[in-house]
Short mmCIF file of all heavy atoms in Angstrom, two decimals:
data_model
loop_
_atom_site.label_atom_id
_atom_site.label_comp_id
_atom_site.label_asym_id
_atom_site.label_seq_id
_atom_site.Cartn_x
_atom_site.Cartn_y
_atom_site.Cartn_z
N GLY A 87 4.83 14.67 -10.84
CA GLY A 87 5.28 14.78 -12.24
C GLY A 87 4.29 15.56 -13.13
O GLY A 87 4.69 16.27 -14.01
N VAL A 99 4.27 28.41 -22.92
CA VAL A 99 3.25 29.23 -23.54
C VAL A 99 3.56 30.72 -23.26
O VAL A 99 3.41 31.56 -24.13
CB VAL A 99 1.86 28.85 -23.05
CG1 VAL A 99 0.79 29.85 -23.51
CG2 VAL A 99 1.53 27.44 -23.53
N THR A 106 6.23 37.10 -28.95
CA THR A 106 5.35 37.78 -29.86
C THR A 106 5.11 39.28 -29.43
O THR A 106 5.12 40.14 -30.27
CB THR A 106 3.95 37.10 -29.90
OG1 THR A 106 4.18 35.72 -30.35
CG2 THR A 106 3.01 37.73 -30.80
N ALA A 109 8.13 41.44 -30.26
CA ALA A 109 8.27 41.64 -31.70
C ALA A 109 7.20 42.72 -32.13
O ALA A 109 7.51 43.63 -32.92
CB ALA A 109 8.02 40.34 -32.48
N GLU A 115 5.65 51.50 -35.36
CA GLU A 115 6.13 52.84 -35.30
C GLU A 115 5.66 53.46 -33.95
O GLU A 115 6.25 54.48 -33.55
CB GLU A 115 5.68 53.69 -36.46
CG GLU A 115 4.14 53.86 -36.52
CD GLU A 115 3.74 54.81 -37.71
OE1 GLU A 115 4.57 55.68 -37.99
OE2 GLU A 115 2.68 54.65 -38.20
N HIS A 116 4.68 52.92 -33.31
CA HIS A 116 4.14 53.47 -32.06
C HIS A 116 4.71 52.69 -30.84
O HIS A 116 4.40 52.96 -29.74
CB HIS A 116 2.66 53.43 -32.02
CG HIS A 116 2.00 54.26 -33.10
ND1 HIS A 116 2.14 55.55 -33.20
CD2 HIS A 116 1.26 53.81 -34.20
CE1 HIS A 116 1.44 56.03 -34.27
NE2 HIS A 116 1.01 54.96 -34.87
N THR A 118 8.34 50.58 -29.14
CA THR A 118 9.58 50.96 -28.44
C THR A 118 10.52 51.63 -29.53
O THR A 118 10.63 51.17 -30.63
CB THR A 118 10.25 49.74 -27.82
OG1 THR A 118 10.30 48.72 -28.87
CG2 THR A 118 9.50 49.28 -26.65
N ALA A 124 18.57 50.01 -28.22
CA ALA A 124 19.97 49.89 -28.47
C ALA A 124 20.77 50.21 -27.24
O ALA A 124 21.89 49.65 -27.01
CB ALA A 124 20.42 50.80 -29.63
N VAL A 131 9.80 41.46 -20.43
CA VAL A 131 8.54 41.38 -21.16
C VAL A 131 7.52 40.71 -20.32
O VAL A 131 7.73 39.57 -19.83
CB VAL A 131 8.72 40.65 -22.54
CG1 VAL A 131 7.38 40.68 -23.28
CG2 VAL A 131 9.89 41.25 -23.34
N PRO A 133 3.69 39.59 -20.80
CA PRO A 133 2.54 39.56 -21.57
C PRO A 133 1.31 39.30 -20.77
O PRO A 133 1.28 38.61 -19.81
CB PRO A 133 2.87 38.29 -22.43
CG PRO A 133 3.68 37.48 -21.58
CD PRO A 133 4.52 38.35 -20.78
N PHE A 144 -5.14 46.97 -8.03
CA PHE A 144 -4.21 45.81 -8.01
C PHE A 144 -4.00 45.25 -9.41
O PHE A 144 -4.98 45.13 -10.16
CB PHE A 144 -4.68 44.80 -7.06
CG PHE A 144 -3.84 43.57 -7.01
CD1 PHE A 144 -2.68 43.58 -6.33
CD2 PHE A 144 -4.21 42.42 -7.71
CE1 PHE A 144 -1.84 42.45 -6.28
CE2 PHE A 144 -3.36 41.32 -7.70
CZ PHE A 144 -2.18 41.29 -6.93
N ARG A 148 3.10 37.94 -15.12
CA ARG A 148 4.31 37.11 -15.10
C ARG A 148 5.05 37.22 -16.46
O ARG A 148 4.41 37.28 -17.52
CB ARG A 148 3.92 35.64 -14.82
CG ARG A 148 3.17 35.50 -13.61
CD ARG A 148 2.65 34.05 -13.42
NE ARG A 148 3.62 33.19 -12.82
CZ ARG A 148 3.37 31.89 -12.50
NH1 ARG A 148 2.16 31.37 -12.79
NH2 ARG A 148 4.29 31.15 -11.98
N ARG A 154 22.13 41.96 -21.29
CA ARG A 154 23.21 41.85 -22.22
C ARG A 154 24.36 41.13 -21.65
O ARG A 154 24.74 41.24 -20.46
CB ARG A 154 23.67 43.30 -22.68
CG ARG A 154 22.69 44.01 -23.59
CD ARG A 154 23.37 45.25 -24.09
NE ARG A 154 22.45 46.05 -24.89
CZ ARG A 154 22.17 45.97 -26.14
NH1 ARG A 154 22.85 45.04 -26.82
NH2 ARG A 154 21.28 46.69 -26.73
N ALA A 161 20.41 33.91 -20.72
CA ALA A 161 19.27 33.10 -20.58
C ALA A 161 18.20 33.92 -19.79
O ALA A 161 18.53 34.69 -18.96
CB ALA A 161 19.63 31.84 -19.85
N PRO A 162 16.94 33.71 -20.14
CA PRO A 162 15.85 34.54 -19.43
C PRO A 162 15.65 33.99 -18.11
O PRO A 162 15.52 32.83 -17.78
CB PRO A 162 14.68 34.35 -20.44
CG PRO A 162 14.84 33.01 -20.99
CD PRO A 162 16.34 32.85 -21.20
N THR A 170 -0.24 47.98 -6.96
CA THR A 170 -1.44 48.30 -6.29
C THR A 170 -2.15 49.53 -6.98
O THR A 170 -3.24 49.84 -6.56
CB THR A 170 -1.24 48.71 -4.83
OG1 THR A 170 -0.21 49.78 -4.76
CG2 THR A 170 -0.65 47.52 -4.06
N VAL A 174 -2.86 55.90 -14.64
CA VAL A 174 -3.92 56.19 -15.65
C VAL A 174 -4.62 54.90 -15.91
O VAL A 174 -4.00 53.86 -16.22
CB VAL A 174 -3.23 56.66 -16.97
CG1 VAL A 174 -4.30 56.85 -18.06
CG2 VAL A 174 -2.53 57.96 -16.74
N GLY A 177 -8.34 50.99 -20.79
CA GLY A 177 -9.65 50.41 -21.24
C GLY A 177 -9.62 48.91 -21.36
O GLY A 177 -10.70 48.26 -21.26
N LEU A 197 17.75 42.40 -10.50
CA LEU A 197 17.68 40.93 -10.45
C LEU A 197 17.58 40.40 -9.08
O LEU A 197 17.62 39.20 -8.84
CB LEU A 197 18.93 40.37 -11.14
CG LEU A 197 19.10 40.74 -12.58
CD1 LEU A 197 20.46 40.18 -13.12
CD2 LEU A 197 17.95 40.15 -13.45
N PHE A 201 12.44 44.37 -6.55
CA PHE A 201 12.82 45.58 -7.13
C PHE A 201 11.65 46.52 -7.20
O PHE A 201 10.50 46.03 -7.79
CB PHE A 201 13.44 45.40 -8.48
CG PHE A 201 13.83 46.62 -9.22
CD1 PHE A 201 15.06 47.17 -9.02
CD2 PHE A 201 12.95 47.27 -10.09
CE1 PHE A 201 15.47 48.38 -9.70
CE2 PHE A 201 13.30 48.43 -10.74
CZ PHE A 201 14.56 48.99 -10.58
N ALA A 207 14.64 52.84 -8.90
CA ALA A 207 15.08 53.52 -10.16
C ALA A 207 13.94 54.36 -10.65
O ALA A 207 12.76 53.94 -10.59
CB ALA A 207 15.47 52.39 -11.20
N TRP A 211 7.05 56.27 -18.93
CA TRP A 211 6.53 55.47 -20.05
C TRP A 211 6.78 56.26 -21.32
O TRP A 211 6.93 57.45 -21.34
CB TRP A 211 5.04 55.21 -19.82
CG TRP A 211 4.11 56.36 -19.88
CD1 TRP A 211 3.71 57.13 -18.85
CD2 TRP A 211 3.39 56.91 -21.01
NE1 TRP A 211 2.77 58.03 -19.22
CE2 TRP A 211 2.53 57.92 -20.61
CE3 TRP A 211 3.38 56.57 -22.38
CZ2 TRP A 211 1.77 58.65 -21.43
CZ3 TRP A 211 2.56 57.26 -23.29
CH2 TRP A 211 1.72 58.28 -22.75
N TYR A 228 6.69 50.38 -21.87
CA TYR A 228 5.73 50.52 -22.97
C TYR A 228 4.64 49.53 -22.83
O TYR A 228 4.80 48.38 -22.31
CB TYR A 228 6.44 50.20 -24.32
CG TYR A 228 7.67 51.11 -24.65
CD1 TYR A 228 8.92 50.84 -23.99
CD2 TYR A 228 7.51 52.21 -25.48
CE1 TYR A 228 9.99 51.63 -24.21
CE2 TYR A 228 8.62 52.99 -25.71
CZ TYR A 228 9.80 52.77 -25.14
OH TYR A 228 10.91 53.54 -25.33
N LEU A 240 3.56 53.05 -13.45
CA LEU A 240 3.96 51.87 -12.68
C LEU A 240 4.80 52.23 -11.51
O LEU A 240 5.36 51.35 -10.90
CB LEU A 240 4.79 50.94 -13.62
CG LEU A 240 4.03 50.02 -14.59
CD1 LEU A 240 4.87 49.31 -15.51
CD2 LEU A 240 3.08 49.11 -13.85
N LYS A 246 9.57 40.90 -8.95
CA LYS A 246 10.02 39.86 -8.09
C LYS A 246 10.43 38.56 -8.92
O LYS A 246 9.99 38.38 -10.05
CB LYS A 246 8.98 39.42 -7.02
CG LYS A 246 8.50 40.56 -6.14
CD LYS A 246 7.40 40.01 -5.22
CE LYS A 246 6.86 41.15 -4.31
NZ LYS A 246 5.78 40.63 -3.45
N LYS A 253 12.12 27.27 -11.92
CA LYS A 253 12.34 25.86 -11.70
C LYS A 253 11.77 25.05 -12.83
O LYS A 253 12.41 24.05 -13.25
CB LYS A 253 11.65 25.46 -10.37
CG LYS A 253 12.10 23.98 -9.95
CD LYS A 253 11.68 23.77 -8.54
CE LYS A 253 12.23 22.43 -8.03
NZ LYS A 253 11.86 22.12 -6.63
N VAL A 275 13.32 25.86 -25.21
CA VAL A 275 12.01 26.51 -25.36
C VAL A 275 12.12 28.00 -25.22
O VAL A 275 11.23 28.74 -25.72
CB VAL A 275 11.07 25.94 -24.20
CG1 VAL A 275 11.53 26.52 -22.80
CG2 VAL A 275 9.65 26.43 -24.41
N ALA A 276 13.22 28.51 -24.65
CA ALA A 276 13.39 29.92 -24.57
C ALA A 276 14.30 30.50 -25.78
O ALA A 276 14.53 31.68 -25.78
CB ALA A 276 14.17 30.35 -23.21
N PRO A 278 13.71 31.01 -29.03
CA PRO A 278 13.11 32.07 -29.85
C PRO A 278 13.00 33.47 -29.10
O PRO A 278 13.14 34.49 -29.78
CB PRO A 278 11.69 31.51 -30.10
CG PRO A 278 11.83 30.06 -30.03
CD PRO A 278 12.89 29.84 -28.90
#
Side-chain angles (χ1 to χ4, degrees):
V99 169
T106 301
E115 62 177 331
H116 300 295
T118 52
V131 184
F144 178 79
R148 305 172 84 176
R154 289 186 187 273
T170 55
V174 179
L197 299 175
F201 177 88
W211 66 269
Y228 300 79
L240 280 176
K246 301 178 182 178
K253 192 168 184 178
V275 70

